Amino acid sequence: MDKNGLSQKEFSEQTGISQSTISDWKRKKTNPSADKILKICEVLHITPNELLAEGTVHDGRTDYVFALNRDEEVVLESFRSLESRQKERLLGYMTALKENK
């Protein structure tokens, strides 16, 4: 909303989503339900991926933070704690798993 210069009231009017629902999303840091996402994207002129990801630029490259479920968080945290050789082995294993579908 901020990037598009919309107040919460204007955004509410354009999307048909109540201001209290928008406030809940912001306060609780939750994502909108699937039925609201397309309307929000239409008003903000963005894709669902852009809506659900926060992009930040560091040294000329963009990093994205995506909402993860608990299993994905565990996998990512575990991967980050591995040493380089262990990461290579795990990535190899994941490639093999995908090939054996």
Side-chain angles (χ1 to χ4, degrees), residues 1 3 6-8 17-18 21-22 30 32-33 36-37 43 49 60-61 63 67 70 79-80 82 86-88 98 101:
M1 294 181 322
K3 290 179 184 177
L6 293 173
S7 68
Q8 187 168 309
I17 300 167
S18 72
T21 298
I22 296 166
T30 59
S33 60
K36 305 289 187 214
I37 290 175
V43 168
N49 190 41
R61 63 183 177 85
D63 292 333
R70 184 63 192 139
F79 180 82
R80 287 181 173 163
L82 297 174
Q86 293 171 313
K87 288 179 182 179
E88 289 175 22
K98 288 191 304 188
K101 281 187 178 181

Side-chain angles (χ1 to χ4, degrees), residues 11-92:
F11 183 72
S12 173
E13 290 169 354
Q14 290 183 28
T15 59
I17 300 167
S18 72
Q19 289 189 57
S20 62
T21 298
I22 296 166
S23 293
D24 283 347
W25 293 334
K26 292 169 79 174
R27 190 178 68 253
K28 296 177 185 176
K29 297 186 190 266
T30 59
N31 290 328
S33 60
D35 63 320
K36 305 289 187 214
I37 290 175
L38 292 178
K39 184 62 180 173
I40 293 168
C41 291
E42 180 182 314
V43 168
L44 297 179
H45 307 288
I46 58 174
T47 66
N49 190 41
E50 291 169 313
L51 176 66
L52 299 174
E54 291 182 20
T56 54
V57 177
H58 301 281
D59 300 326
R61 63 183 177 85
T62 303
D63 292 333
Y64 289 95
V65 178
F66 292 92
L68 303 175
N69 67 38
R70 184 63 192 139
D71 289 340
E72 292 166 332
E73 288 178 15
V74 168
V75 169
L76 185 56
E77 289 169 8
S78 297
F79 180 82
R80 287 181 173 163
S81 71
L82 297 174
E83 294 185 14
S84 181
R85 181 73 182 126
Q86 293 171 313
K87 288 179 182 179
E88 289 175 22
R89 289 177 55 202
L90 180 57
L91 291 171

